């Protein structure tokens, strides 16, 4: 992906286990509020703060993201962390994005307020602040507590959907229709994902 020299790029990292409409609304509204030219979803390979047993393989999560963004030219999906292998650390990804797009590109690393509870454990948080603009999007049920002073806060439409809710519903054989895009729903059903959750 190439962007113009002075373009504004949103980077939305996460496990996406699975991706759902809340993620897409977050990305769309962040783009509108921040004036972004692109939003890149960056699925983690092995997330450092989550149990590996609860996370399905990265290729399935990547494929679901491809289905999720179909039809929206504003969105792209990156294999950066998947191809780097090992545990995924945001600071390493931000270094690679900055190297790829240069010092003049506007890079915005977007995270939900649910991440604030563990932000003190992130690897080289100050290094992230030096590389990109750090954006915290308020998420329903997760108050804005412990927001770093370097961060920009945006408010998005509150959507009470989470990946854990979706996994729980699948485990109980309940419908997830309208909680995820149709392509993601079809992929989950075809692959019988999350059936043991």
């Amino acid at each position: 992906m190439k962007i113009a020299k002075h373009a504004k790029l949103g980077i939305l990292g996460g496990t996406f286990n699975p991706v759902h409409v809340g993620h897409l609304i977050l990305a769309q509204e962040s783009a509108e509020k921040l004036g972004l030219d692109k939003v890149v979803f960056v699925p983690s390979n092995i997330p450092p703060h989550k149990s590996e047993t609860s996370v399905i393989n990265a290729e399935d999560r990547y494929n679901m993201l491809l289905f999720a963004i179909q039809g929206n030219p504003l969105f792209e999906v990156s294999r950066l962390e998947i191809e780097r292998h090992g545990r995924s650390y945001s600071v390493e990804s931000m270094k690679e994005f900055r190297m790829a797009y240069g010092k003049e590109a506007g890079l915005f690393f977007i995270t939900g307020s649910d991440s604030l509870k563990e932000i003190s454990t992130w690897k080289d948080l100050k290094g992230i602040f030096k590389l990109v603009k750090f954006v915290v999007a308020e998420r329903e049920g997760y108050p804005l507590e412990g927001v770093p002073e370097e961060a920009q806060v945006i408010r998005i439409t509150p959507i009470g959907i989470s990946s854990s809710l979706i996994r729980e519903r699948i485990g109980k054989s309940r419908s997830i229709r309208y909680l995820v895009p149709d392509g993601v729903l079809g992929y989950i059903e075809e692959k019988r994902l999350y059936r043991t959750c």
Side-chain angles (χ1 to χ4, degrees):
M1 179 188 71
K2 294 296 182 185
I3 60 173
K5 195 174 185 180
H6 297 284
K8 297 173 73 175
L9 177 71
I11 304 164
L12 185 58
T15 313
F16 304 110
N17 186 42
V19 60
H20 53 72
V21 295
H23 292 128
L24 301 176
I25 291 169
L26 166 60
Q28 185 69 41
E29 293 194 9
S30 295
E32 293 168 1
K33 291 178 182 294
L34 298 170
L36 304 178
D37 299 295
K38 281 284 182 185
V39 178
V40 182
F41 292 78
V42 186
S44 60
N45 184 50
I46 302 174
H49 296 102
K50 297 191 179 180
S51 166
E52 291 182 39
T53 59
S54 67
V55 180
I56 64 169
N57 76 73
E59 290 297 335
D60 281 327
R61 291 182 283 113
Y62 172 81
N63 289 334
M64 285 189 285
L65 276 165
L66 292 180
F67 279 114
I69 70 166
Q70 282 183 349
N72 191 336
L74 181 67
F75 294 164
E76 293 195 14
V77 185
S78 169
R79 293 183 58 85
L80 177 71
E81 294 188 354
I82 295 173
E83 294 179 355
R84 196 165 64 226
H85 305 295
R87 293 198 174 274
S88 300
Y89 294 103
S90 296
V91 67
E92 302 301 331
S93 299
M94 297 311 108
K95 286 177 183 175
E96 292 192 45
F97 272 103
R98 181 54 72 192
M99 286 178 62
Y101 299 113
K103 63 181 181 180
E104 295 184 13
L107 301 183
F108 295 75
F109 181 47
I110 304 162
T111 188
S113 57
D114 54 311
S115 297
L116 293 174
K117 63 183 182 295
E118 56 195 26
I119 198 169
S120 63
T121 67
W122 284 23
K123 180 180 178 180
D124 194 7
L125 186 60
K126 292 187 181 301
I128 296 176
F129 297 151
K130 292 176 182 177
L131 292 162
V132 295
K133 181 67 176 178
F134 193 83
V135 179
V136 176
E138 185 174 13
R139 184 174 172 188
E140 185 175 1
Y142 296 92
L144 291 166
E145 298 175 352
V147 179
E149 62 180 19
E150 295 90 344
Q152 176 179 350
V153 174
I154 59 173
R155 300 182 187 279
I156 60 169
T157 302
I159 303 292
I161 301 173
S162 66
S163 296
S164 58
L165 169 68
I166 291 169
R167 297 194 302 271
E168 179 183 339
R169 290 182 68 90
I170 294 171
K172 294 179 178 178
S173 298
R174 297 176 64 188
S175 174
I176 59 168
R177 187 174 296 278
Y178 309 122
L179 301 179
V180 299
D182 288 344
V184 175
L185 174 61
Y187 189 90
I188 289 172
E189 291 179 341
E190 178 186 349
K191 298 281 189 175
R192 297 187 60 78
L193 301 177
Y194 307 112
R195 295 296 176 186
T196 58
C197 294

